[in-house]
Amino acid sequence: MRNLAYAARPLFNDLASSLFFAALLALGADAMTATLWAIGFGVAHVVLWKALKKPIAPLQWASLGLVLVFGTASLFFHDPRFLMAKPSIIYLIVAAVMLKPGWMLRYMPPIAAGHGERTMVVFGFVWAGLMVFSAGANLVVAVWAPEHWPLYKATFPMTSKLALFAIQYATVRAVVRRKIMAAGQPQAQAA
């Protein structure tokens, strides 16, 4: 779970303005006010990180650019769905990064080394697929059911990722444990 939280932190940071926008809508703010606040929050977030001399990742710059473009379009057309669609772009960018084979290997505990690499590589692609699915689902809800978007944003993204994490953890643990036991290594109790 710690690895998931560690991995999710940058994504949460990059999606903070969208999450702030969703929270405002869920709390009953009107769409245009929420859009203005989300744009301000996105700009303030980057300014704060610059002031703290923290590195700003390319995805965070891209997120700010998308907030400005989609937020401005939302204000210009008086349609918050533009800003609601922004996470879909972020999800697709993250999915593209996740298509690199082996990106998950750094999350394996030392005891699993030599036993679960292939399974972890496969799950890396499964995660990329989930991100593509999340992008599509977000876009569908944003365009055709915007009144349900705050509820969707508050439930599906986190729930789907926690569910996949649980499936991955159980699967990788079983595979590694089975391979360690088959090799007759005593560490099987710790796996």
Side-chain angles (χ1 to χ4, degrees):
M1 194 64 159
R2 184 180 44 163
N3 287 338
L4 179 64
Y6 179 81
R9 194 173 319 143
L11 187 59
F12 177 80
N13 184 51
D14 296 335
L15 295 175
S17 59
S18 293
L19 296 172
F20 184 67
F21 175 71
L24 289 174
L25 288 178
L27 293 172
D30 85 60
M32 293 303 111
T33 302
T35 301
L36 284 170
W37 276 99
I39 291 171
F41 182 84
V43 171
H45 190 193
V46 168
V47 168
L48 175 65
W49 278 59
K50 285 292 255 185
L52 295 173
K53 301 204 184 311
K54 291 186 175 187
I56 300 173
L59 189 57
Q60 192 171 357
W61 280 116
S63 181
L64 176 60
L66 291 170
V67 164
L68 293 173
V69 169
F70 282 83
T72 302
S74 291
L75 293 171
F76 183 77
F77 292 108
H78 300 285
D79 190 346
R81 292 179 294 182
F82 286 100
L83 199 54
M84 290 176 185
K86 179 188 103 49
S88 293
I89 307 261
I90 300 291
Y91 291 147
L92 291 174
I93 292 168
V94 170
V97 171
M98 289 178 168
L99 287 173
K100 180 181 178 192
W103 71 270
M104 292 197 83
L105 294 178
R106 68 184 188 151
Y107 301 112
M108 288 183 65
I111 193 169
H115 303 289
E117 283 82 355
R118 291 177 65 153
T119 307
M120 288 294 279
V121 167
V122 169
F123 269 106
F125 293 121
V126 173
W127 277 98
L130 176 61
M131 295 307 286
V132 169
F133 181 80
S134 296
N138 182 76
L139 195 58
V140 166
V141 174
V143 172
W144 287 289
E147 67 279 4
H148 299 296
W149 188 80
L151 177 62
Y152 160 81
K153 192 72 178 151
T155 56
F156 178 77
M158 185 58 70
T159 304
S160 63
K161 278 124 192 104
L162 288 173
L164 180 54
F165 177 78
I167 292 167
Q168 176 184 342
Y169 179 80
T171 303
V172 172
R173 187 173 192 275
V175 167
V176 168
R177 191 172 168 92
R178 187 182 73 237
K179 287 184 177 183
I180 289 173
M181 290 178 77
Q185 295 175 349
Q187 296 105 327
Q189 302 302 329

